[in-house]
Amino acid sequence: MFVYGPVPSRRLGQSLGVNNIPPKVCSYSCVYCQIGRTKNMKIYRKEFYKPEDIYSEVKTKVNQIKENGKQPDYISFVPDGEPTLDKNLGIELDLIKNLNIKTAVITNASLLWMDEVKEDLSKSDWVSVKIDAVSDDVWHRIDRPHGGLSLQKVLKGVIDFSKSYKGNLVTETMLVSGLNDDPRHIEGIAEQILKINPRKSYILVPTRPPAESNIYRATSESLIKTASIINSISSVNVECITEDDTEQGFFFTDNVAEDLLSITSVHPIREEIIRHYIKVKKADSSILKELIDQNKIIEYTYEGKRFYKRNLDALKQ
Ligand code: SF4
């Protein structure tokens, strides 16, 4: 399944997700990653799937959504890993343009030093680049990068891309208590944002179960201070995203089990939201239990709330 949702997104509205990377191939293993630890660290691009197969599934899903009187705001590459590791990303973006819906890519930016990655991302209407750290020490503690990467090269790649990119460029910084929220470090992040000059700079906190158990969201005071430092140094508009998902905005078909499997492989969902859609779709209330018994979905508790996510370990790599 290459497509999931749409799921609600504060930044993108109704976002139809494209999962163009197998679980879980990434150049980072962020401590807060909601998909879990990275088992397959990579920095070289390759073909994972046929672009036509991805396009065909996206097209079918868009038609299905339209038949229900809806329309996604964005078709977004937010996969089980780093989307730019897919060497066909540019071809897929070109194909999806035929559907006349805006495209988005959320990237960790670690491969932007490659010209071919810049070229592929230039085809997307909206690109979000991750800036969690500007010092090697913090970068290694929060993003846990592949050993072949260099932070200076990554930061320069993002600045170079920002000079040529014509679309809507934003940055995102995940703020983790005690890891990257020291004001002096935030000043360094703000200097980097100043050089990129994005349309907006988003500050996020972990709201879904993270890869490591000792990860906590930054405090409200720290968030306010961070937003103020970034805005005063870079003059960029800063927005903090700290809320949990609500029932609004998810798209479920009558096949609730299949939708749950595709969404939770990328986006853990709270129990109340699943129960809500089981009720709305008049689906069998035992679906969730069956998926857990079949070892396809696993239960997690984070900040006192119960979440469900796909058991990626049970899938073939
Ligand atoms: S948060 Fe994104 S960049 Fe970090 S490990 Fe997860 S998929 Fe990779």
Side-chain angles (χ1 to χ4, degrees):
M1 285 184 282
F2 301 122
V3 184
Y4 62 93
V7 296
S9 160
R10 268 281 294 276
R11 293 172 284 176
L12 299 170
Q14 291 283 300
S15 161
L16 179 65
V18 180
N19 193 356
N20 62 328
I21 298 286
K24 182 204 166 184
V25 185
C26 195
S27 47
Y28 284 177
S29 184
C30 304
V31 288
Y32 56 77
C33 184
Q34 62 187 22
I35 318 170
R37 285 182 192 158
T38 305
K39 303 234 170 72
N40 207 342
M41 300 278 290
K42 291 268 182 270
I43 53 169
Y44 293 109
R45 310 183 83 200
K46 62 177 271 196
E47 170 171 306
F48 295 101
Y49 306 111
K50 297 221 170 319
E52 305 75 35
D53 293 346
I54 292 182
Y55 176 61
S56 159
E57 211 181 285
V58 173
K59 193 173 166 190
T60 304
K61 189 73 174 193
V62 167
N63 288 337
Q64 195 180 25
I65 296 165
K66 284 185 175 166
E67 278 160 21
N68 280 271
K70 297 187 173 153
Q71 159 104 346
D73 297 303
Y74 276 91
I75 296 175
S76 318
F77 286 76
V78 188
D80 280 336
E82 169 50 34
T84 61
L85 281 167
D86 173 8
K87 70 182 289 193
N88 291 327
L89 177 62
I91 300 172
E92 289 147 18
L93 284 162
D94 276 338
L95 285 169
I96 288 171
K97 271 193 195 1
N98 292 319
L99 300 172
N100 290 320
I101 298 171
K102 283 187 280 185
T103 51
V105 180
I106 297 186
T107 170
N108 66 18
S110 64
L111 306 180
L112 264 170
W113 45 273
M114 296 184 201
D115 288 342
E116 61 183 79
V117 172
K118 290 192 196 78
E119 200 177 308
D120 282 0
L121 287 177
S122 71
K123 296 167 190 251
S124 178
D125 297 298
W126 188 99
V127 172
S128 172
V129 291
K130 186 190 290 299
I131 308 176
D132 288 342
V134 289
S135 82
D136 262 314
D137 171 47
V138 177
W139 187 49
H140 280 95
R141 280 195 290 138
I142 189 166
D143 292 341
R144 302 189 295 191
H146 184 286
L149 290 171
S150 134
L151 179 60
Q152 289 319 311
K153 223 167 140 181
V154 171
L155 296 176
K156 182 176 179 308
V158 179
I159 294 168
D160 290 346
F161 175 66
S162 72
K163 288 180 182 148
S164 61
Y165 181 58
K166 304 273 184 291
N168 195 343
L169 181 66
V170 303
T171 64
E172 72 171 57
T173 300
M174 183 68 84
L175 212 58
V176 179
S177 181
L179 270 189
N180 64 343
D181 60 345
D182 178 86
R184 266 172 307 168
H185 182 253
I186 297 298
E187 283 172 18
I189 288 182
E191 301 282 354
Q192 170 74 1
I193 291 173
L194 171 67
K195 291 177 194 154
I196 295 167
N197 193 24
R199 297 263 178 102
K200 208 173 224 188
S201 175
Y202 290 97
I203 313 293
L204 294 85
V205 292
T207 56
R208 306 193 192 105
E212 305 302 333
S213 56
N214 55 344
I215 295 307
Y216 305 100
R217 58 168 84 203
T219 61
S220 307
E221 295 74 32
S222 175
L223 270 165
I224 293 166
K225 179 121 186 135
T226 297
S228 150
I229 294 172
I230 293 177
N231 179 261
S232 66
I233 292 179
S234 69
S235 302
V236 166
N237 188 0
V238 180
E239 183 175 334
C240 298
I241 299 185
T242 58
E243 294 119 27
D244 295 329
D245 294 326
T246 65
E247 282 85 357
Q248 307 308 315
F250 285 89
F251 177 82
F252 276 82
T253 62
D254 290 336
N255 193 339
V256 174
E258 194 174 284
D259 293 336
L260 268 179
L261 291 177
S262 65
I263 296 174
T264 56
S265 77
V266 176
H267 186 114
I269 317 185
R270 275 190 298 120
E271 182 175 27
E272 301 89 277
I273 296 174
I274 298 176
R275 301 262 174 239
H276 170 80
Y277 280 97
I278 285 176
K279 200 168 154 197
V280 168
K281 288 289 167 186
K282 298 187 175 56
D284 188 335
S285 58
S286 62
I287 283 177
L288 190 54
K289 185 175 178 310
E290 277 170 28
L291 292 175
I292 295 168
D293 290 348
Q294 290 163 7
N295 204 23
K296 290 182 173 165
I297 277 189
I298 339 176
E299 187 179 291
Y300 284 85
T301 301
Y302 181 59
E303 296 184 330
K305 295 167 206 136
R306 201 173 301 162
F307 287 82
Y308 294 89
K309 66 181 185 183
R310 186 81 195 258
N311 184 2
L312 297 176
D313 288 340
L315 295 174
K316 281 194 182 146
Q317 297 281 316

